[in-house]
Amino acid sequence: DVQLQASGGGLVQAGGSLRLSCAASGFTFSDYAIAWFRQAPGKEREGVSAITPGDGSTNIAQSVLGRFTISSDNAKNTVYLQMNSLNAEDTAVYYCAASRFSIPTMAPSYEYRYWGQGTLVTVSS
């Protein structure tokens, strides 16, 4: 069975950092695109960043460009989202998702087939 386990969320002060992890199992990691989405209260889910571990290509939303970095450890079948300079607008539940795309696409979210359970990031101002 395909499983995605997101972790690393928590409470952090504005300006701080967190690293989220998405541990994947049940599929060939290098054949898929893995993306991070987030959903803040009362808002639609939005794509944050994506990666195709097979070739290392990445994509990132303008709203987090220069602050967030996505990476993968193919030996561990894990994707990371390093989040720096966090602000209150980054408060959301963060989800990792996977689908068999050949490019690191982030949109639309409904095209991603597999989803992790989400991890809450709260940034206090």
Side-chain angles (χ1 to χ4, degrees):
D1 291 348
V2 172
Q3 290 191 349
L4 298 170
Q5 183 74 34
S7 61
L11 175 64
V12 64
Q13 289 189 333
S17 298
L18 282 175
R19 188 178 79 158
L20 305 184
S21 299
C22 176
S25 62
F27 61 94
T28 303
F29 192 63
S30 60
D31 288 347
Y32 280 63
I34 312 292
W36 286 98
F37 292 84
R38 67 184 181 184
Q39 188 164 20
K43 295 188 177 181
E44 293 187 356
R45 190 169 295 186
E46 64 170 342
V48 176
S49 191
I51 188 168
T52 43
D55 64 3
S57 296
T58 62
N59 193 3
I60 194 155
Q62 280 294 120
S63 59
V64 302
L65 184 63
R67 301 188 297 121
F68 291 13
T69 304
I70 192 169
S71 62
S72 69
D73 184 334
N74 292 8
K76 296 181 178 180
N77 282 8
T78 300
V79 169
Y80 303 99
L81 185 69
Q82 178 66 44
M83 306 186 296
N84 300 327
S85 302
L86 286 161
N87 58 58
E89 288 69 41
D90 297 316
T91 294
V93 177
Y94 285 71
Y95 301 89
C96 61
S99 201
R100 196 160 181 162
F101 297 129
S102 59
I103 59 172
T105 180
M106 294 185 291
S109 63
Y110 60 79
E111 292 192 358
Y112 269 82
R113 182 172 181 182
Y114 303 108
W115 289 81
Q117 82 287 7
T119 185
L120 176 63
V121 172
T122 304
V123 184
S124 62
S125 55

